[in-house]
Amino acid sequence: MRWLLTSLRFRRYFQNCSIRQKLMIIIMGVSTLTLVLISAVFMVNDAQTIRNGMVQDLSAVGKIIGDRSKASLTFDDARVATENLASLAAKSSIVAACIYDAEDNVFASYYRDISGIPCPSVKSPQYYFDDASLHVYQPILQAQDKLGTIYIRADLNEIKQSLNQYILYAAGFVLLALLVAYILSAKLQAVVSEPLTRLARTVRAVSTEADYSIRAEK
């Protein structure tokens, strides 16, 4: 109901505007909508690119750690596997990692925080996103035999920071573009509005004075 009242108020305001003002409102409205839509498309594409990059990055990290842990799984050396996972501390986005044996039992684990969530059960998808994290599962293979699985969970702060930065840049670009559009339209719309304004004045003069000899200026 509120949007309907707002729409009616705007319609009354628009009807009372001069031709010059109406042209400016139309030009700026179309320009704003176009710029916002273009920015939104680029933002969605950028977010998807970052997500795909995170998946590829964590999958590559998981393969490296998994390859380094093959001997640990073969000889049942959990200490070395734990040390391999501890090297993930250098990557701040990784909040947890686990290595499972061939029977999907937890073999070694790493948590960025002491109060980390226990290792989840092994799932078939190679990766998936939830509201706060990216989860990647990577099989550890020796030839065609499965030695185990490595699981890595990373937060989405990188995506959030990139999107926030993009929004700031996009907002600055949209404002600058609208300023340029306003300046140009203010100058160029006179080419259209002035003849219409003169014609409107002539029509009013003819109707008021009943003098049909009055002609519109060219």
Side-chain angles (χ1 to χ4, degrees):
M1 189 65 180
R2 183 176 298 178
W3 68 268
L4 180 60
L5 293 175
T6 302
S7 177
L8 292 174
R9 291 194 191 100
F10 177 77
R11 183 176 298 180
R12 285 196 294 269
Y13 169 77
F14 186 78
Q15 289 173 345
N16 294 329
C17 289
S18 64
I19 294 176
R20 182 190 296 267
Q21 291 172 328
K22 288 179 179 177
L23 285 174
M24 289 295 295
I25 291 173
I26 293 171
I27 292 171
M28 295 305 296
V30 172
S31 299
T32 301
L33 180 60
T34 302
L35 289 170
V36 169
L37 288 177
I38 291 174
S39 298
V41 169
F42 277 106
M43 184 173 68
V44 171
N45 181 70
D46 192 49
Q48 188 60 47
T49 300
I50 295 174
R51 284 164 66 99
N52 292 339
M54 282 189 66
V55 171
Q56 294 173 1
D57 184 40
L58 288 189
S59 296
V61 169
K63 188 174 187 315
I64 292 172
I65 299 297
D67 288 343
R68 290 170 55 185
S69 302
K70 288 180 180 179
S72 302
L73 288 165
T74 301
F75 297 105
D76 197 26
D77 190 347
R79 181 184 62 82
V80 174
T82 301
E83 291 176 355
N84 290 338
L85 290 178
S87 65
L88 296 175
K91 197 168 183 62
S92 60
S93 62
I94 295 178
V95 297
C98 307
I99 292 178
Y100 307 83
D101 61 20
E103 285 73 38
D104 295 339
N105 298 312
V106 177
F107 184 72
S109 59
Y110 158 78
Y111 301 101
R112 186 177 67 186
D113 301 322
I114 297 177
S115 58
I117 300 175
C119 295
S121 57
V122 177
K123 297 180 181 176
S124 55
Q126 290 189 340
Y127 72 89
Y128 69 91
F129 287 88
D130 59 23
D131 293 338
S133 305
L134 165 62
H135 305 260
V136 174
Y137 293 87
Q138 190 85 14
I140 302 175
L141 304 175
Q142 183 70 53
Q144 297 301 320
D145 298 326
K146 178 182 174 182
L147 296 178
T149 304
I150 182 169
Y151 160 78
I152 300 177
R153 178 161 59 93
D155 61 36
L156 302 182
N157 290 337
E158 180 181 346
I159 293 180
K160 293 175 182 177
Q161 290 173 359
S162 297
L163 289 181
N164 289 338
Q165 188 176 42
Y166 182 89
I167 290 172
L168 289 176
Y169 288 149
F173 169 75
V174 169
L175 290 176
L176 179 61
L178 287 177
L179 177 61
V180 173
Y182 177 82
I183 294 173
L184 291 177
S185 61
K187 294 180 178 297
L188 296 179
Q189 57 88 27
V191 177
V192 177
S193 65
E194 285 301 326
L196 293 176
T197 302
R198 288 197 296 269
L199 179 60
R201 283 200 299 264
T202 301
V203 170
R204 283 196 298 270
V206 170
S207 61
T208 301
E209 301 174 13
D211 184 356
Y212 299 99
S213 64
I214 300 175
R215 294 292 182 268
E217 299 178 10
K218 296 183 178 179

